[in-house]
Structure formats: C-alpha cells, structure tokens
Amino acid sequence: MKFDNILSEVNGFGKFQIKLILIQILSRVTLPCHFLLNNFIAAVPAHRCNISALDDGGIFRNLTLEQKLSVSIPAEQDGTLSSCQMFQQLQYQNLSGSTKNSSENIFTVQCQNGWVYDNSTFKSTLATEWDLVCSRKGINKATATVFFIGVMFGAPLFGFLSDRFGRRPLLLVSYLSSLMFAVLSTFSTSDVMFAILRFFTGMSLAGISIISMVLSIEWFSIEHRTFSGVIISLDWTLGNWILVGIAYCVNEWRMLILAVTSPLILSLIAWRWLPESARWLMARGRADAAHHYIMQCAEMNNRSACMATITPRTLLESAETETETEDKKYNFVDLFRTPNIRKLSICSGILGYGVAFIYYGISLNITGFGLNLYLTQFIFAFIEMPMKIGLYFFLDKVGRGPGQIWAMLLTGLCLFINLFVAKDKWIIRSVVAVLGKALSEASFTIMILFTTELYPTVVRQNGVGYTSFVTRLGASLSPLIMLLEDVWHLLPEVTYCAVAVGSGLVALLLPETLNTRLPEFIEDIEKPRVKSTRKKEIQ
C-alpha cells in the first residue's frame, strides 16, 4: 500500500498527469457522441401515411394536396393528421365539411403504402430509412438498447483482459475495434445489420470508457483523486457539446456516425505516448516496467532527484508484493469470494444500474419539453459544466457517499414533480427536467469515481467492468421503458422515480473513500482502510 507515497514523491499531479488526460480526451469525447447518438440518428420526424398510390378513378387525382389528405387521413383530437392511420375508404364528404359518415366508411387501417416524412430538420434517420414508426417504433427504440447491451458485455470483457494484460494494450484494441465497427455500421443495408454492428461498436467503446478512467485515476495521488475524477468527467461534457454542434451541421445519419467517430483516428496516433499504469505493473510484480514509467513521471514533473535511491527492487518491496504471488490470476469470481468485497460488489452494481437507468431515461427522451431538439440537448449539456465545478468542491469536503445519496434522491424528486406538471406548462417542465438532468449527471460522475476507488488494483478493472456491465444493463433497458406509456402515460416517469430513490438509498451501504489510499489487494478490502491527512505524510 506504499505506492501512494512514491507517487506523492514524484508529484501525483504534474505535467505527466496533464499529458495523460489530454491524450485521452481525444477518445473520451467520442463516448457521449455515441452513447447519446440515438437522439439524432433515431429521431422520428413528423410523418403521415403515403397517399400517392390512392386513385379510385374518380376525382381524387384532381384534388389539391390538402383535399387529398382530408379525404384519406383522419385527424387527431388536436387537429393534426394521424401519423399511423388512414381511412379504409376515401371520405369525399369531408370536402364539404360534413361530419356525417356512414358506418361502413368510418373504419381506419394502418398505413398501407408507407409514410411521408418531414425532412426539414433531418435529411435521413433510422426511422425514415427503414420506416421504424408506428407499429415498428419499438425497433427504433431497440437500436439504442442493442448498443447498450454491447457496452454491457464489453465492460466485463475489457475489464478482465486489461487486468490480465494491462491498460495500455487493451486501449489500443478498443480504439481499433471501435473505429472499425462504427465505420462498418454506416454501410448497413437493413435495420438488423445496423443493430448487429452497433452492438459490436458498443462493446468496443466499453473498453475506452472503463480503461481510460481507471488508467488516469491510478496515476493521481490521493489528494488529487477527486479533482482527477471530476476533470476527466468534463470530457463527457465536451463531447456532449461536440455532438450538438456536429448533429446540427450534419443531418444525415450515416455521415453523422462518421463525423463523431473521427477523433479516434487522432487517438490511434497519440496512443504511442500513453503510459501504462505503474500501479498495475507493481501489483503484477513487474517492478522493472513500473520503474521505467515512474522515472518518466518524475522527469516530466521535475522530481528526478527523488528517484535517486529508488530501484526496481525497492519498488517491489514497497508494494509488498511478496505477500502475493506474481502468477496469481484474478477474475470476476474474486469479486464475490470474501464478505466485504462481495457486499461492495453487490451494492455498487445496484447503484450503477440505477444511476444509468435514470441518466439515460432523461437523456434519451429529450422531446416533450416544448423546445427544439438541438436546444434541449444543448441546455442539457451546458448545465453539466457549472454542476461539475460545484460537485468538485462538494466531493472534496463532504465525500462520495453523501454526494451520491443526495444526487439520486433529488433526481427522484425532480422526476416526481414533473409527474404533476401539465404538458402545456413546458417552461416549468423544462426547468425541472434540466435540474433533474444536472443531478443525474452529478450522480453518474460520483458513481464512476466512487466505484473506481472502491476496488483493489488487482481486480479494479474486473470490478469496474462488472459495475459497468450492470450499469449498461440499466442503460439498455431505459429506452424501452418509454414504451410503457401505452399502458399508462405516467408509468415510465413513475418507474424512473422509484428506481432513483431505491438505488440512492443503497449507496448508504458503501464505505467512504474520501482521502483514503487506493487498495492494492483484496486483503486490503477485508480490513479497515487507512485514512490520510493532507498535512501529514501518509504512513
């Protein structure tokens, strides 16, 4: 457990750590672009039945478009044309404004000849490409679910592999596979082909998501871990802004995917300057390689003199690796072998599920607030910056546990309030929704930092991968919850609210990690943690 002392000696927050963050920004900004991409590529523009094929051999061909619509498509209660229904027989009496219909003429049927879409906002989306509307709207929602299922399976896979083979090589694999599958998805010729390729894109991006966060935090000293967790989360905010800007300029879904994936090309180039985690190397008994990277850190941070007496052998001894066998192989099962880490794994899994379930429930359903789609997305992204700045000071003084609990409970409160706000009061609904979005983003930021600090180094990627697995399970189910509005229009909001409150209370069972050393081995979880003070050297 002495690695933190060494890291403090070589400066746990200097030019070396800044370089590490800047390199990983290139890949991390693509995460929100892909995770929230369905807001744009799966957008459903205004649509109606295609009536161009209707011609009864009578006067239909001589009617104006407005007249053709009035005799072929029924109107909704608000006066708009039905999106999914058309008259079984043409209703010519509607031309005179007559409301008298014979019983055999009032029947409606599903659209028989496809749909006509409003292309004023989007040139093409998944919905317009493959007619994923009306009875097929569930397939449109499912494209987001399939993507998150891919992330769900990719998280434990990359977690296991990066704990076994290292953070750095698996990041390269993530970069290459994410780029390949994202580009291939733009050549999809059917919704099934697209869903399959999005599954593998999500699986690949999961590696970037969990490995980059762990690699960064493992290079920061105790007193700077809160700052590192928050500053790294700003990559998500930056990516959110980039997504809004690119989506506004690129309104064709294939080109949009290519545009938001392009930063990964720069990530591949910058990968050569990315260091391996010295903390992981020491935990694996590879003291020579750890010494190499620690020397790099010391030189870049102008602390070379501090390393004069430190050799690979002293590193090995300071890490107390003699208590562990170098050949020890850790896996997912180790997260549940002993009582304390079992409790930690179960609770962090429930928490992660709830946080993602709520966050994506809000983020992927940004219509219905009376605002333009792009404006709503921009406001949701904009509110994240001041929230995260305030969050840093809160976490640094109060702690992760209280922050996690209150963020989730207050998110649930915002969802509860909007249950009673009428749809036409869009200003109030928008304000409450933006506040709920900010709080859900705060809970996500805390959860990522919290779970990264909870797990020991030897299984940290396994632990974060497992937590990410159940987190993405929540994310994958979240879009489908909106389909429950067909059962009861308030059922989705009630479900989100209940999950927010329940998972927030589970956070009470997790130990506080503020100002504590990162555990190195599972044995460190099974005994009381050592609390550090910033004015004294850690013993």
Side-chain angles (χ1 to χ4, degrees), residues 8 20 42 44 99 169 208 220 228 256 280 298 314 323 330 416 458 476 489 520 538:
S8 295
L20 178 61
V44 181
T99 58
I208 300 175
F220 279 85
S228 70
L256 180 57
W280 175 82
T314 57
T323 62
Y330 294 92
F416 182 75
V458 291
S476 64
H489 71 286
E520 303 294 344
I538 302 169

Side-chain angles (χ1 to χ4, degrees), residues 356-422:
F357 187 85
I358 302 307
Y359 177 83
Y360 288 103
I362 298 174
S363 299
L364 294 176
N365 295 286
I366 61 177
T367 58
F369 298 115
L371 299 175
N372 174 274
L373 178 70
Y374 299 104
L375 180 59
T376 304
Q377 185 71 36
F378 174 78
I379 294 175
F380 275 8
F382 181 80
I383 195 65
E384 292 180 7
M385 184 66 74
M387 180 277 300
K388 288 180 178 178
I389 293 175
L391 183 63
Y392 164 69
F393 294 102
F394 182 90
L395 293 179
D396 205 38
K397 299 297 182 183
V398 180
R400 284 63 158 145
Q404 188 75 76
I405 296 165
W406 282 108
M408 289 299 289
L409 293 181
L410 291 176
T411 301
L413 178 61
C414 291
L415 293 169
F416 182 75
I417 292 173
N418 257 355
L419 287 173
F420 303 97
V421 180

Side-chain angles (χ1 to χ4, degrees), residues 146-310:
V146 170
F147 172 81
F148 285 116
I149 291 175
V151 179
M152 182 175 70
F153 282 100
L157 174 64
F158 278 97
F160 170 76
L161 292 176
S162 60
D163 265 344
R164 178 67 63 88
F165 301 108
R167 294 22 172 163
R168 188 171 181 265
L170 267 297
L171 266 180
L172 179 61
V173 174
S174 297
Y175 294 164
L176 289 171
S177 56
S178 297
L179 185 61
M180 179 182 68
F181 287 118
V183 172
L184 286 176
S185 69
T186 64
F187 294 94
S188 299
T189 56
S190 69
D191 54 333
V192 174
M193 179 180 176
F194 177 78
I196 293 172
L197 290 171
R198 283 296 284 172
F199 172 87
F200 287 108
T201 303
M203 179 180 286
S204 303
L205 287 169
I208 300 175
S209 177
I210 67 171
I211 299 173
S212 59
M213 186 68 168
V214 170
L215 177 59
S216 298
I217 289 180
E218 287 183 338
W219 271 110
F220 279 85
S221 57
I222 291 175
E223 60 270 24
H224 294 107
R225 280 211 315 267
T226 302
F227 179 78
S228 70
V230 174
I231 201 70
I232 293 169
S233 72
L234 292 179
D235 296 344
W236 186 276
T237 302
L238 177 61
N240 239 328
W241 292 347
I242 292 174
L243 173 61
V244 176
I246 294 178
Y248 185 78
C249 298
V250 182
N251 59 5
E252 201 278 322
W253 71 268
R254 299 177 192 269
M255 295 304 299
L256 180 57
I257 292 177
L258 292 176
V260 300
T261 307
S262 57
L264 288 178
I265 299 175
L266 298 176
S267 298
L268 287 172
I269 298 173
W271 176 84
R272 60 178 298 184
W273 294 288
L274 199 64
E276 180 57 275
S277 168
R279 190 187 295 270
W280 175 82
L281 290 168
M282 290 176 62
R284 301 297 292 182
R286 297 168 57 182
D288 289 334
H291 184 263
H292 168 74
Y293 285 111
I294 292 174
M295 286 299 297
Q296 281 189 0
C297 179
E299 290 173 6
M300 186 169 290
N301 292 345
N302 298 319
R303 295 290 184 89
S304 298
C306 300
M307 294 293 294
T309 59
I310 298 180

Side-chain angles (χ1 to χ4, degrees), residues 45 117-123 251:
Y117 299 94
D118 178 6
N119 294 324
S120 60
T121 302
F122 300 101
K123 183 178 179 181
N251 59 5

